[in-house]
Amino acid sequence: MSRSTLGRLVGLLITGLISSASAARTVDWKPRSIYQTMTDRFARTDGSLTAPCNTTAGFYCGGTWRGTIDRLDYIQGMGFDAVMISPIIENIHGQVSYGEAYHGYWPLNFNTLNSHFGTHQDLLDLSAALHSRGMYFMMDTVINNMAYITNGSNPATHIDYSVFTPFNNADYFHPYCKIKNWENMTDAQRCQTGDLDVPLPDLFTEHADVQQLLIAWANNAIKTYSIDGLRIDAAKHVNTGFLQNFSNGVDTFMTGEVLEGAVSIMEDYQSNYIDSLPNYPIYFEIIDAFTQGNTSQLAKAVENMRITMPDVNAMATFSENHDKPRIGSYSDDIAMAKNVLVFTMLFDGIPMIYQGQEQHLKGNSVPVNREAIWLTKYDTNAVLYQLIAKLNRIRNHAALLGTNYFEDSTHTIYQGASELGFTKGVQGRQVVMVLSTQPSTSGAYNLDMAVTYNAGTVIMDVLNCKNYTVDNQGLLRVDMNKGEPRVFFPTQYMEGSGLCGYSETNVTLAMLETGSSSTSAGMQFTSGTGVAALLLAVMTSMFVMLV
Ligand SMILES: *[C@@H]1O[C@H](CO)[C@@H](O)[C@H](O)[C@H]1NC(C)=O
Ligand SMILES: *[C@@H]1O[C@H](CO)[C@@H](O)[C@H](O)[C@H]1NC(C)=O
Ligand SMILES: *[C@@H]1O[C@H](CO)[C@@H](O)[C@H](O)[C@H]1NC(C)=O
Ligand SMILES: *[C@@H]1O[C@H](CO)[C@@H](O)[C@H](O)[C@H]1NC(C)=O
Ligand SMILES: *[C@@H]1O[C@H](CO)[C@@H](O)[C@H](O)[C@H]1NC(C)=O
Ligand SMILES: *[C@@H]1O[C@H](CO)[C@@H](O)[C@H](O)[C@H]1NC(C)=O
Ligand SMILES: *[C@@H]1O[C@H](CO)[C@@H](O)[C@H](O)[C@H]1NC(C)=O
């Protein structure tokens, strides 16, 4: 084989590697952490910090894709490396007593964009801006239904199906029926979600034409806007056969909203229909544990999930979203908000944080949990904003030094009357979180805990930059106070974390173990090795191909 042929082959292979990287897979998503925006309520093109937004009235408040581009520093400043935006397509126009389609979940036309949020070029620019920062672009997507304003008239007789694109006649839809029992999957999947003001005509997703149109649309949108992943809205209400076809037919990672607390249902979905789901079972346990101060169920749920689910790490972990009450609505207590965030960010799975959680917003239900973020002035000094930044750092750092951090499972190591301890990661470099259900008005006390580090290990609480030493029996005396969470990591491995005064350099385990950390020569050596390894891998696969 001539040199030039070899060069061309390597070039082709590298091109292949690069282009396949644009269709991100579950394995590519596991290390990421996602910030969820609702475009209309996140940022405006004019950069306003004062434009009023009456969430109860429920009208468009002026947020745009262009506005989002201008606030990516704010998102990246917390350490997020992915953004999920609300649905992009044209929604129904007009108003009902509780507002209009600002949220994007009332589809009208799959082939046009929602002009309130910007233009084709704006969306291309948002995608490019994210990718230039090394961030992934996720899009929320409605494939279960369209929407129609009947304003109280009978949906069985008052929906004009010809207005929908491309589903422009009644044959594309299930006949109207109202969901009577939301736990009955047949009912939930055949009948309409929505209400009598805005019924949501339910697409006949068992039908081959409907399936093909939706799959083709999604693949086209992904290609056009270089989208790296999808959230599938109302996935529970789509028949499972289509969900499976959609997830096989659409060339990207997707996480499907199945709003169920039962682990057995999640297990069925993940085993059979879709790789990832937002982790609703854990969500419900988080809320119960921290709002009711009952630690036993979350401790058990962590164990149960690990044993039952095919892959907890492929799920999206969250504690707020646009459908659920804000943590701050249960209580003003900042300690509760901190404990919830520590668990959400450091438990297995891909953290997904809903815009405004970092500002401790307090909206207690739809629609008041869709606050305009600009009214917070994007305060980067907010306590929870800073906390999230630290948690993203320790998560990334533990993964850099761990062998398989994003495949490792969280284990419960402690459950007290008002404390929970969890560990994740390879022995010796694990992250240990100690959480409290006590309020910030509570006092100081000590807790002796078997933290799983070896006797004598010096560990640091990365939230307070304080050293502790594990005693000669492997116990750690944790000084609990004011309901504050603790996050431990071995002090020896803190270099490179960007936390507690340690530099944020690209260290390797070998560098820290030989004590030759943080020299720039060392770093160059490391990245040089990376390129060599990649080339070697390319050569090897080429030779395998040629044999
Ligand atoms: C917000 O909208 C609601 C419902 O339309 C209305 O009752 C309320 O007065 C409005 N609030 C403000 C501050 O305008
Ligand atoms: C629906 O009813 C509301 C009053 O509740 C009215 O303001 C609105 O214009 C009506 N919308 C349509 C599309 O008929
Ligand atoms: C579920 O709902 C369907 C109708 O939508 C009904 O035929 C069926 O009996 C229900 N199943 C259960 C277990 O209630
Ligand atoms: C999935 O798609 C294939 C090919 O279009 C089709 O034959 C099959 O019936 C679909 N499965 C379901 C459950 O709809
Ligand atoms: C915690 O919740 C479990 C399950 O709901 C219950 O059995 C237990 O009694 C609760 N414990 C406390 C202290 O409330
Ligand atoms: C923590 O311990 C390490 C190593 O033992 C030491 O270098 C460092 O100064 C200590 N940091 C603090 C804040 O005490
Ligand atoms: C850090 O180094 C590893 C390999 O040594 C490389 O894969 C990675 O891209 C580097 N990360 C950064 C942010 O430079």
Side-chain angles (χ1 to χ4, degrees):
M1 186 198 308
S2 75
R3 250 170 187 238
S4 66
T5 318
L6 184 91
R8 241 184 28 232
L9 266 174
V10 170
L12 278 176
L13 282 163
I14 288 174
T15 314
L17 286 175
I18 290 166
S19 61
S20 74
S22 69
R25 307 286 165 210
T26 304
V27 65
D28 307 310
W29 273 93
K30 283 180 176 178
R32 301 270 161 170
S33 65
I34 306 169
Y35 186 76
Q36 176 194 353
T37 64
M38 180 172 274
T39 300
D40 182 62
R41 302 294 165 84
F42 181 61
R44 291 168 47 109
T45 301
D46 64 8
S48 173
L49 303 178
T50 53
C53 182
N54 184 340
T55 53
T56 311
F59 300 132
Y60 283 97
C61 289
T64 60
W65 297 317
R66 182 70 44 202
T68 303
I69 294 172
D70 295 339
R71 295 292 173 186
L72 292 181
D73 280 350
Y74 173 78
I75 298 175
Q76 206 173 20
M78 283 174 274
F80 290 108
D81 47 16
V83 174
M84 180 179 82
I85 66 169
S86 50
I88 61 170
I89 66 171
E90 183 182 3
N91 272 218
I92 53 171
H93 307 277
Q95 300 172 353
V96 293
S97 60
Y98 56 89
E100 49 194 2
Y102 68 90
H103 40 69
Y105 296 100
W106 287 348
L108 174 69
N109 185 340
F110 271 90
N111 296 337
T112 45
L113 295 174
N114 189 327
S115 60
H116 288 93
F117 304 147
T119 63
H120 170 69
Q121 189 60 47
D122 293 337
L123 196 53
L124 286 174
D125 289 351
L126 174 55
S127 175
L130 285 165
H131 291 136
S132 76
R133 291 165 183 259
M135 299 169 86
Y136 274 176
F137 182 23
M138 180 179 274
M139 178 179 72
D140 200 354
T141 309
V142 182
I143 60 171
N144 176 62
N145 55 268
M146 307 299 272
Y148 194 88
I149 296 182
T150 53
N151 244 353
S153 304
N154 184 359
T157 49
H158 281 77
I159 294 174
D160 172 7
Y161 291 92
S162 72
V163 302
F164 300 124
T165 307
F167 305 107
N168 61 356
N169 72 66
D171 296 347
Y172 290 113
F173 295 85
H174 290 136
Y176 176 74
C177 55
K178 201 169 152 45
I179 299 179
K180 288 185 221 69
N181 175 6
W182 288 69
E183 304 309 311
N184 176 337
M185 287 296 192
T186 316
D187 238 24
Q189 290 168 6
R190 290 285 176 134
C191 295
Q192 290 192 13
T193 52
D195 58 30
L196 290 180
D197 290 318
V198 186
L200 303 177
D202 202 59
L203 284 163
F204 183 12
T205 49
E206 291 79 2
H207 196 285
D209 289 354
V210 174
Q211 295 198 1
Q212 278 158 22
L213 283 165
L214 287 169
I215 290 171
W217 172 82
N219 278 320
N220 186 49
I222 286 163
K223 216 168 113 201
T224 305
Y225 299 111
S226 306
I227 290 162
D228 304 295
L230 303 178
R231 171 184 178 273
I232 307 303
D233 180 65
K236 172 182 158 180
H237 300 280
V238 174
N239 61 301
T240 51
F242 172 52
L243 194 60
Q244 183 181 33
N245 265 1
F246 188 82
S247 106
N248 291 334
V250 175
D251 189 23
T252 198
F253 170 79
M254 61 185 78
T255 189
E257 182 206 14
V258 177
L259 209 171
E260 286 287 346
V263 178
S264 57
I265 294 178
M266 295 289 127
E267 189 273 329
D268 179 37
Y269 270 86
Q270 199 178 38
S271 301
N272 298 307
Y273 310 122
I274 188 164
D275 287 349
S276 174
L277 305 108
N279 199 335
Y280 263 107
I282 282 290
Y283 163 77
F284 289 118
E285 300 298 352
I286 293 174
I287 299 303
D288 283 358
F290 293 102
T291 65
Q292 290 165 29
N294 186 337
T295 53
S296 66
Q297 293 304 101
L298 181 57
K300 274 191 214 138
V302 166
E303 297 302 293
N304 185 26
M305 277 254 133
R306 186 180 68 243
I307 293 159
T308 310
M309 293 300 297
D311 193 356
V312 184
N313 281 298
M315 301 177 83
T317 315
F318 66 97
S319 40
E320 288 186 7
N321 66 29
H322 58 291
D323 292 328
K324 291 288 171 197
R326 299 280 193 183
I327 298 300
S329 72
Y330 294 102
S331 155
D332 252 352
D333 197 318
I334 195 74
M336 181 199 286
K338 287 182 183 174
N339 280 286
V340 166
L341 267 175
V342 169
F343 185 84
T344 308
M345 295 288 307
L346 299 182
F347 179 60
D348 304 337
I350 308 159
M352 190 187 277
I353 302 295
Y354 173 49
Q355 65 174 34
Q357 186 167 3
E358 73 281 6
Q359 299 293 346
H360 204 201
L361 296 183
K362 303 194 170 43
N364 69 0
S365 60
V366 177
V368 294
N369 60 355
R370 285 117 183 239
E371 304 92 332
I373 302 306
W374 53 85
L375 297 173
T376 71
K377 316 248 185 281
Y378 307 99
D379 180 7
T380 56
N381 293 316
V383 171
L384 300 181
Y385 182 101
Q386 296 283 331
L387 176 63
I388 292 170
K390 288 179 188 170
L391 295 169
N392 266 319
R393 283 209 161 111
I394 193 65
R395 181 175 183 265
N396 291 336
H397 188 62
L400 187 66
L401 301 182
T403 36
N404 230 349
Y405 189 74
F406 296 118
E407 301 296 336
D408 287 334
S409 297
T410 296
H411 290 250
T412 306
I413 55 171
Y414 189 85
Q415 188 227 320
S418 56
E419 305 84 13
L420 284 160
F422 301 101
T423 182
K424 179 179 172 81
V426 63
Q427 176 62 30
R429 298 185 300 281
Q430 68 270 50
V431 176
V432 170
M433 50 177 152
V434 178
L435 307 178
S436 171
T437 60
Q438 298 210 13
S440 51
T441 49
S442 64
Y445 63 102
N446 289 329
L447 200 66
D448 289 311
M449 186 181 294
V451 275
T452 70
Y453 298 108
N454 290 338
T457 309
V458 178
I459 60 178
M460 180 167 277
D461 171 12
V462 306
L463 304 181
N464 294 293
C465 306
K466 187 176 155 189
N467 284 330
Y468 296 72
T469 304
V470 179
D471 79 9
N472 58 16
Q473 292 170 58
L475 290 181
L476 179 70
R477 174 150 293 189
V478 187
D479 53 341
M480 303 299 286
N481 195 11
K482 297 184 166 54
E484 292 280 323
R486 308 270 180 244
V487 175
F488 296 111
F489 197 70
T491 304
Q492 180 195 354
Y493 297 115
M494 284 297 290
E495 187 62 43
S497 64
L499 290 161
C500 297
Y502 291 95
S503 70
E504 189 170 15
T505 48
N506 197 0
V507 294
T508 63
L509 184 59
M511 281 155 67
L512 295 188
E513 292 194 324
T514 58
S516 70
S517 64
S518 72
T519 65
S520 57
M523 295 219 13
Q524 269 161 26
F525 174 74
T526 310
S527 57
T529 313
V531 171
L534 177 67
L535 279 175
L536 190 67
V538 168
M539 303 293 240
T540 310
S541 60
M542 191 177 66
F543 283 124
V544 170
M545 270 175 43
L546 291 175
V547 169

